[in-house]
Amino acid sequence: MFFLTELAERKIAEAIERGDPATLVNTGSPLDLDTDRHVPSEVRALYRVLKHAGAVPADVARLRELARLRRVPPDGLPPEQRRGHRARIAALIVALDRHHNR
């Protein structure tokens, strides 16, 4: 993942040096991150209700839990909890992998 971040940063810096961003449409305008163009129109209203209710898809919940667990170093846990900690991380990774490889 670090490689991709570095590559993206380098490409952006090169584009800025060439002056490319100045020619982009809506340069300097805030991004509209609340659009649902990628969501099919027949489920757009449902997604909006779920979003405003704070509900998230199962994969998002799994990714959040995985990030939370990875912030806890296993060495800082009591020995009897380390195995469960590692097992939960592995289970989340398997669940995410299964979902994305359907």
Side-chain angles (χ1 to χ4, degrees), residues 74 77-90:
L77 295 173
E80 63 273 6
Q81 291 181 4
R82 289 180 192 161
R83 175 177 270 164
H85 181 80
R86 289 186 184 112
R88 183 63 187 147
I89 288 175

Side-chain angles (χ1 to χ4, degrees), residues 11-25 27:
K11 294 291 184 183
I12 291 169
E14 290 170 2
I16 290 171
E17 286 178 19
R18 287 192 308 266
D20 292 351
T23 62
L24 295 175
V25 177
T27 298

Side-chain angles (χ1 to χ4, degrees), residues 42-82:
E42 59 271 9
V43 293
R44 196 170 292 151
L46 174 63
Y47 274 35
R48 200 170 283 253
V49 168
L50 290 172
K51 178 181 175 184
H52 291 296
V56 296
D59 274 358
V60 173
R62 286 184 188 111
L63 286 168
R64 286 179 180 172
E65 183 180 1
L66 184 60
R68 182 185 61 77
L69 289 172
R70 284 184 167 166
R71 285 192 298 269
V72 177
D75 297 338
L77 295 173
E80 63 273 6
Q81 291 181 4
R82 289 180 192 161

Side-chain angles (χ1 to χ4, degrees), residues 21-36:
T23 62
L24 295 175
V25 177
N26 298 326
T27 298
S29 302
L31 293 174
D32 183 9
L33 299 176
D34 202 30
T35 62
D36 294 328

